Amino acid sequence: MKRDVRLAKALLAAVMVSVSAATGWQLWVSREQTLAAADTNNLNLAKALNIYAEGIFTQSDMLLQGVAETLKAEGNAREHMQRVQSLVERQKRLLDPLDGVAVLDARGNWLIYSKGEAPRGTNSAKRPYFIRHRDTRSNDVHISPPVRNPFSGEWGITVSRRLEDEKSEFAGVVVIGLGLQNFLRAFGTIALPDTGTIGLSTNTGQMLVLYPYSEKNIGLDFSKSANFQRHFSGTSGTASFRSSVDGMKRLYAFRKSDRYPVLTSVAVGREQALQAWRRQALLTIAVVGALLAAMAAVGWRLIINIGRRIRAEASLMAAREDLLQANRRLEILATQDQLTGLANRRSFDEVLAQESRRAARENTALSLLLLDLDYFKGFNDAYGHVAGDQCLRAVAMALRRSIRRPGDLVARYGGEELAIVLPSTGLQGACKVAELMLEQVRSLGITHSESPHGQVTVSIGVATFRGSQSHAPELQLVEAADAALYKAKENGRNCWVSQEEWVAG
């Protein structure tokens, strides 16, 4: 039964562990799916913003090419410069982030400025973009890190091209300024979490625009950052790492431009991306926890009830065993004589009737010996009843030793009279048993001063029954044995007498 309790506990534990494991696995899968969905959203947004940035730079490049080709074809005479100014005015209406367009000669002096007359003596020969075009023979567009507008003082990005004369010699630079605020307004229309950022940087890791705007972040250089080198080497991708700017762990997605050396990145705080999942996870944990608690309570209650049932059954089994033992003791008491330990009169009557029926049914012999202690009343008078009881017990033990077969029965018939039932035993065998019993009693050597024999002796009557027609043969057998016993007493006692074998019917 204890095994049932162990099995119940093991089953309850297995169910709870399985439910907990399944819930944990489901939460982990849901968490990974949430992060994957956030990465997908970020990457899609980065691609869309990359298209927007490419469009801005393409429009800027087209304007630069138009100005450069016009100047190369017509020169920089004053009337020609007016046509260039008119071209710039028409194109800048199509380019929202356009802050201004300027044409610089080979010495860095400003020839044209789209917002009006440039102050005399304005020179940008020391600007990095001018130095690059002057020293590098390339017609590729160049996108510079953020610089301040020399007139307004606002931050912007320059997109520039090299100008060449008819001999393909350096003739100056045409440059477009794109205001950061225009980019930031466009980026600001994107719905991002509080911890989200949008960035536009060069492929080498120099930040051009970072939203939300902070002037201290302008011109940040991530080219030597391990995170940038490790995660932003491909054309597009996602990553998760802690920002070196504010230390927050974010989910990043980036897309590099196919035409220009820039990349667009989108990032959201990892914790904020998992916020909805965390609320759902806490709700799930609460529900499953309550379910497990209820399951544990019910299961534990069942285990307690099983334990109680087991203890109750054990108590019932113990009570049943006690009852059986008590019944066995009662059966023994009901069939055993308390003084001698022999079968009592009731047991004798039952066995004799049973063996008589068997002998009649099987036509076999059944013998009965009736035995009486000689002069036993005188023994009690001379030695007392206690000694008489001891004498009777000693004789009973001696008679029991004379019996060899399991089916034979020695019983106390009444008072000092004893009886021996011998199934399947003829008269000759019964007489031998009687002789043996006489010798056993004599060998006890119990002194009996009131007996002419000087010691305790017995008289035995032997009778045998054989047949199947008699009515109540056990009664006839007892009467025959009693008559033989009476005859033995008449013959002087301390002997056995048998009635000749008779057949009922």
Side-chain angles (χ1 to χ4, degrees):
M1 299 302 286
K2 290 183 178 179
R3 184 184 174 202
D4 294 341
V5 175
R6 289 196 296 270
L7 286 176
K9 290 181 179 179
L11 179 61
L12 179 61
V15 170
M16 295 186 68
V17 169
S18 299
V19 171
S20 300
T23 303
W25 170 259
Q26 183 60 40
L27 291 177
W28 184 83
V29 170
S30 175
R31 177 179 179 275
E32 294 303 305
Q33 290 174 344
T34 300
L35 292 176
D39 284 339
T40 300
N41 292 337
N42 287 348
L43 189 58
N44 290 336
L45 183 57
K47 290 178 179 178
L49 292 173
N50 177 70
I51 293 174
Y52 168 78
E54 272 193 352
I56 297 296
F57 291 129
T58 298
Q59 287 181 287
S60 301
D61 190 20
M62 291 174 62
L63 178 57
L64 291 175
Q65 289 184 40
V67 173
E69 290 174 358
T70 300
L71 290 175
K72 186 173 182 179
E74 300 181 4
N76 56 2
R78 185 173 182 82
E79 63 274 13
H80 297 158
M81 286 296 185
Q82 291 177 350
R83 280 198 293 274
V84 171
Q85 184 79 23
S86 177
L87 172 65
V88 170
E89 290 296 328
R90 290 195 304 271
Q91 291 294 327
K92 73 178 183 179
R93 289 193 296 270
L94 304 176
L95 192 60
D96 290 338
L98 182 64
D99 187 42
V101 181
V103 177
L104 284 64
D105 64 15
R107 291 185 298 276
N109 297 317
W110 286 46
L111 301 177
I112 298 178
Y113 181 45
S114 62
K115 287 191 173 183
E117 191 72 26
R120 184 178 298 275
T122 302
N123 186 278
S124 296
K126 295 183 179 180
R127 293 282 187 174
Y129 64 84
F130 184 87
I131 296 172
R132 181 182 184 281
H133 288 303
R134 185 192 63 194
D135 297 343
T136 304
R137 192 180 185 86
S138 172
N139 291 322
D140 292 340
V141 67
H142 173 67
I143 301 172
S144 73
V147 295
R148 286 188 181 275
N149 187 301
F151 307 117
S152 66
E154 295 182 355
W155 287 96
I157 302 170
T158 61
V159 183
S160 56
R161 269 187 173 275
R162 174 186 171 100
L163 294 177
E164 294 182 347
D165 56 19
E166 63 277 3
K167 296 180 181 180
S168 298
E169 296 294 333
F170 177 68
V173 175
V174 56
V175 58
I176 291 178
L178 302 175
L180 291 188
Q181 292 300 325
N182 294 314
F183 275 98
L184 292 173
R185 275 195 297 273
F187 290 169
T189 62
I190 306 298
L192 283 178
D194 296 339
T195 57
T197 64
I198 298 174
L200 179 66
S201 64
T202 65
N203 287 346
T204 58
Q206 193 155 27
M207 185 61 66
L208 301 177
V209 182
L210 182 62
Y211 176 84
Y213 174 76
S214 176
E215 187 168 344
K216 67 178 182 180
N217 295 331
I218 293 177
L220 288 175
D221 189 352
F222 300 105
S223 59
K224 296 181 180 180
S225 168
N227 286 329
F228 185 86
Q229 295 174 1
R230 183 184 304 115
H231 300 296
F232 290 78
S233 58
T235 301
S236 65
T238 59
S240 176
F241 55 85
R242 196 173 299 280
S243 170
S244 59
V245 176
D246 58 9
M248 179 175 291
K249 194 168 187 179
R250 289 186 173 90
L251 302 176
Y252 291 85
F254 73 94
R255 180 71 166 89
K256 288 183 178 179
S257 172
D258 295 329
R259 301 180 60 184
Y260 302 101
V262 295
L263 66 84
T264 307
S265 63
V266 176
V268 295
R270 184 185 180 89
E271 293 302 314
Q272 199 162 11
L274 290 172
Q275 199 170 44
W277 169 85
R278 187 172 288 104
R279 286 196 297 269
Q280 185 62 37
L282 291 175
L283 179 60
T284 301
I285 290 172
V287 172
V288 173
L291 177 63
L292 289 177
M295 187 184 304
V298 173
W300 192 250
R301 187 67 182 174
L302 289 175
I303 290 172
I304 291 175
N305 289 338
I306 291 174
R308 288 176 178 172
R309 179 173 62 83
I310 290 173
R311 289 191 293 272
E313 290 181 0
S315 298
L316 289 175
M317 290 293 292
R320 179 175 176 273
E321 186 62 29
D322 292 341
L323 182 59
L324 289 175
Q325 291 180 0
N327 288 338
R328 285 193 290 268
R329 287 194 294 269
L330 288 174
E331 288 177 0
I332 293 173
L333 291 174
T335 60
Q336 189 180 64
D337 178 65
Q338 295 303 302
L339 178 61
T340 62
L342 301 177
N344 59 15
R345 177 62 182 270
R346 176 185 174 186
S347 179
F348 167 78
D349 290 340
E350 290 176 355
V351 171
L352 182 60
Q354 179 182 344
E355 295 299 334
S356 295
R357 290 192 295 271
R358 180 183 298 173
R361 184 173 61 252
E362 299 176 359
N363 195 26
T364 58
L366 174 63
S367 295
L368 174 64
L369 280 63
L370 286 180
L371 181 149
D372 193 18
L373 274 70
D374 297 330
Y375 308 107
F376 192 67
K377 184 178 182 303
F379 187 90
N380 279 335
D381 293 341
Y383 301 102
H385 288 284
V386 174
D389 291 343
Q390 292 176 348
C391 174
L392 189 58
R393 281 194 292 268
V395 171
M397 294 297 294
L399 298 181
R400 183 179 291 173
R401 288 194 296 270
S402 303
I403 298 302
R404 306 294 185 209
R405 300 181 307 175
D408 297 342
L409 176 70
V410 181
R412 185 178 183 187
Y413 191 72
E416 69 274 13
E417 194 170 5
L418 307 175
I420 299 93
V421 180
L422 302 172
S424 302
T425 303
L427 183 60
Q428 185 177 359
C431 291
K432 289 182 179 180
V433 173
E435 183 63 33
L436 177 60
M437 289 183 175
L438 283 176
E439 292 300 325
Q440 286 290 339
V441 174
R442 291 171 187 161
S443 66
L444 294 175
I446 301 174
T447 302
H448 187 352
S449 60
E450 299 301 317
S451 171
H453 304 292
Q455 64 178 22
V456 173
T457 58
V458 294
S459 298
I460 303 174
V462 182
T464 300
F465 157 79
R466 182 187 294 276
S468 59
Q469 301 300 322
S470 295
H471 174 69
E474 64 273 16
L475 297 178
Q476 298 180 25
L477 189 59
V478 171
E479 290 174 355
D482 190 57
L485 175 59
Y486 184 77
K487 187 66 175 176
K489 290 182 178 181
E490 288 183 345
N491 290 345
R493 305 177 190 265
N494 191 23
C495 65
W496 59 269
V497 172
S498 68
Q499 183 172 333
E500 291 297 324
E501 183 176 352
W502 51 277
V503 177

